[in-house]
Amino acid sequence: MVVNTKEIKGTGPQETGYPEQHQDYLFIDIAPQIGKSGQADIKDASGSTWAWVSGGISNIDETRNDTTDNTAYMDGHGFTDHDVTGSDVSYSISGNRKMGDSFQEYLRSIADSHGTFRNTRMIYVDADKTHTKIAQCTLTNIKLNGAAANAKKALSFTLQRNNAPREIDGVLTMQASAEDPYVFTASVATSADDNPKAVVNEDPATNPTGTDANPLKGTTTGK
């Protein structure tokens, strides 16, 4: 495919200052391999079934609930000492039902299932692509229906993180599939400086190898 246009200044993602939520990337494995522990493996991030949670999604809201121990000691002169002993991290995600979207079809396929069928794994890439984590997770409170007669159907669910997350050891490349631009293949390469930690290539048609992907914008440098 020939590219003879470019991005207009000011229409792309912010590279400094205040990032917008759409600059983050959330990927969920839509064909997870669940082990005997009941959870997906997160020691190896590679795979070809990572769906980008974006089509029809308008809001992703992170919630962190810490468990704390609050104890007053003599050497603190009666004042309380606070220790964080645990964390519960979840994401409330909402938008509109989009038929045919790979992630949403996966969500629909497990909506009536219980137990380990709701378990998978996630990759979260921050806007500047330097803070990338993989974690085990469970999808709960799935809602696929609900709207006025002439309105788009509402969709919402909660992504609840399980156990301790891990960070990518090297540079993560997320390459969109030519067959489905919402399904990505993840690969990890070692790097001397580990900066950036992630490259997201949304454009397999004009950049099939991913070598020209801009790590900050997540798009091809030719745009």
Side-chain angles (χ1 to χ4, degrees):
M1 179 184 292
V2 175
V3 179
N4 52 22
T5 62
K6 64 180 180 180
E7 192 175 80
I8 298 173
K9 291 182 179 179
T11 62
Q14 295 292 322
E15 297 180 16
T16 59
Y18 304 99
E20 296 178 356
Q21 183 62 41
H22 71 87
Q23 292 178 244
D24 289 6
Y25 286 89
L26 171 61
F27 299 96
I28 290 179
D29 191 346
I30 57 175
Q33 301 297 309
I34 304 299
K36 292 182 178 179
S37 66
Q39 300 291 336
D41 174 47
I42 58 171
K43 292 183 178 179
D44 181 6
S46 61
S48 60
T49 55
W50 288 102
W52 180 20
V53 182
S54 60
I57 301 301
S58 56
N59 189 76
I60 298 177
D61 186 27
E62 180 185 80
T63 300
R64 291 177 174 268
N65 293 312
D66 288 337
T67 300
T68 60
D69 175 85
N70 310 308
T71 306
Y73 295 104
M74 298 299 179
D75 59 359
H77 303 286
F79 287 90
T80 303
D81 185 84
H82 302 275
D83 286 307
V84 176
T85 59
S87 294
D88 182 10
V89 180
S90 63
Y91 300 83
S92 297
I93 301 171
S94 60
N96 296 109
R97 177 77 172 100
K98 183 181 179 183
M99 293 187 296
D101 177 80
S102 292
F103 171 71
Q104 289 203 21
E105 294 305 324
Y106 166 70
L107 191 67
R108 183 172 72 163
S109 74
I110 63 171
D112 290 316
S113 301
H114 296 163
T116 58
F117 288 97
R118 293 286 194 95
N119 293 348
T120 182
R121 55 182 186 162
M122 60 174 284
I123 289 176
Y124 200 97
V125 181
D126 270 358
D128 65 1
K129 309 298 182 289
T130 63
H131 193 62
T132 305
K133 289 185 283 191
I134 183 171
Q136 297 163 334
C137 61
T138 300
L139 306 182
T140 68
N141 302 319
I142 299 171
K143 176 185 176 181
L144 300 169
N145 300 292
N150 62 345
K152 294 178 180 177
K153 293 176 70 174
L155 175 141
S156 63
F157 67 98
T158 302
L159 186 159
Q160 294 181 298
R161 224 171 61 183
N162 297 327
N163 304 313
R166 295 173 69 90
E167 65 177 359
I168 303 299
D169 187 15
V171 176
L172 172 74
T173 295
M174 302 298 294
Q175 173 78 1
S177 164
E179 295 77 25
D180 185 342
Y182 289 88
V183 177
F184 286 66
T185 295
S187 60
V188 180
T190 57
S191 173
D193 57 13
D194 271 3
N195 192 19
K197 295 288 288 186
V199 175
V200 180
N201 180 29
E202 297 177 26
D203 198 352
T206 59
N207 186 26
T209 64
T211 55
D212 295 325
N214 184 319
L216 288 178
K217 295 183 178 180
T219 56
T220 59
T221 55
K223 286 190 173 181

